[in-house]
Amino acid sequence: MADSVPVRCPTCRRENAFTPPTFPCACGAPLTLPVLRGGVPVEILHRTWQSSWVEVRCEVCGRQDEWPAPESGCACGTVVRVPVAPAPALPPPNFPSPGRPGPRPAPAFPLRTPHGLARPAFRPVTIRTARDCVTAAEQYLKWLGYADVARTQERTASGVDLRGTGVVAQVDPTTHSTALREIECVWLNGLSDSALAVFFSLAGYARDARSRADALRLPLFVMDLTGTPQPVNDPADELIKYGAAGR
């Protein structure tokens, strides 16, 4: 696993530990995005396709590809883009190439719950479209133990995208911060179904939305383009810790 680096939130000035994501290069070697230490993170207010990807060169084979730009979510709801160091010069022609595939990226969370139950590593779904956001959230909820969670056949006016035994979830794939009304809508749906309501957002949350979710004990997650949701409040941390079995 790559070493974590401190990232200071430009909104609340809180310093958060951020672990750069690792991807498998085409040559088989693990490629960790070279986060620029001391770089200034930039709050994501509007997303564009171009700004969501960075060029990084593999130190093993010299191949230069585009990868999802690293993003970090703060507990205050702010999502920032973490700067990456410029690609290094090409290695010399006789630079050795790997002889065998490298390890898969390390899981984002421990493989065992506090109850001692084995939890396999979460396999993220790279996000390129709005549909990918819903797929990533669906897979994540299944990883947390909601095995029968599935997409709703048609998104209702309430905005619920996923339903399963004991859980309903909404996914906001837009480039704008999730608003208070959407938090309240999914919470009401959970209340109606006697189920836990969960929210996934690509661009983070408005301050009043975050505050209401905390008051309602509604788990909030932000998603980066690697497809790995990150918790932004205590209920989300608890959900990760205990999974569906702890609800």
Side-chain angles (χ1 to χ4, degrees):
M1 178 180 289
D3 294 334
S4 63
V5 296
V7 174
R8 187 174 296 280
C9 175
T11 302
C12 68
R13 310 305 297 171
R14 178 179 300 169
E15 193 171 84
N16 301 295
F18 174 73
T19 302
T22 299
F23 303 98
C25 178
C27 73
L31 184 150
T32 300
L33 297 190
V35 170
L36 187 62
R37 289 183 178 273
V40 179
V42 178
E43 182 178 1
I44 300 174
L45 299 175
H46 302 286
R47 294 180 184 272
T48 64
W49 181 261
Q50 184 176 4
S51 65
S52 297
W53 299 87
V54 292
E55 286 192 352
V56 176
R57 191 185 308 282
C58 176
E59 295 182 355
V60 175
C61 69
R63 180 188 180 98
Q64 183 165 313
D65 280 327
E66 288 190 336
W67 302 96
E71 299 176 2
S72 175
C74 181
C76 72
T78 300
V79 181
V80 298
R81 184 170 292 111
V82 183
V84 171
L90 284 170
N94 61 349
F95 198 84
S97 59
R100 57 186 175 81
R104 291 180 179 175
F109 303 104
L111 298 183
R112 288 186 178 273
T113 69
H115 304 297
L117 302 176
R119 181 183 292 171
F122 175 66
R123 297 185 178 182
V125 177
T126 301
I127 294 175
R128 296 180 183 272
T129 66
R131 185 176 180 84
D132 290 338
C133 290
V134 180
T135 300
E138 178 183 358
Q139 295 303 315
Y140 194 75
L141 287 173
K142 288 181 178 178
W143 181 72
L144 289 172
Y146 296 99
D148 64 346
V149 70
R151 300 176 188 227
T152 54
Q153 291 186 351
E154 183 177 351
R155 198 181 199 214
T156 62
S158 64
V160 172
D161 295 291
L162 300 165
R163 289 184 185 275
T165 302
V167 67
V168 297
Q170 184 173 340
V171 183
D172 183 359
T174 68
T175 58
H176 303 288
S177 299
T178 298
L180 170 64
R181 180 180 180 278
E182 295 181 84
I183 297 297
E184 292 178 334
C185 282
V186 74
W187 177 76
L188 288 172
N189 273 278
L191 194 64
S192 176
D193 291 2
S194 298
L196 173 69
V198 184
F199 209 105
F200 298 86
S201 175
L202 192 62
Y205 302 87
R207 293 183 185 279
D208 56 352
R210 164 66 197 277
S211 296
R212 184 61 57 87
D214 288 346
L216 297 173
R217 303 294 299 168
L218 191 151
L220 299 181
F221 293 88
V222 291
M223 308 178 75
D224 59 25
L225 295 180
T226 67
T228 303
Q230 300 290 341
V232 298
N233 63 355
D234 290 342
D237 286 329
E238 293 171 5
L239 181 58
I240 292 171
K241 186 175 182 180
Y242 297 106
R247 303 306 302 180

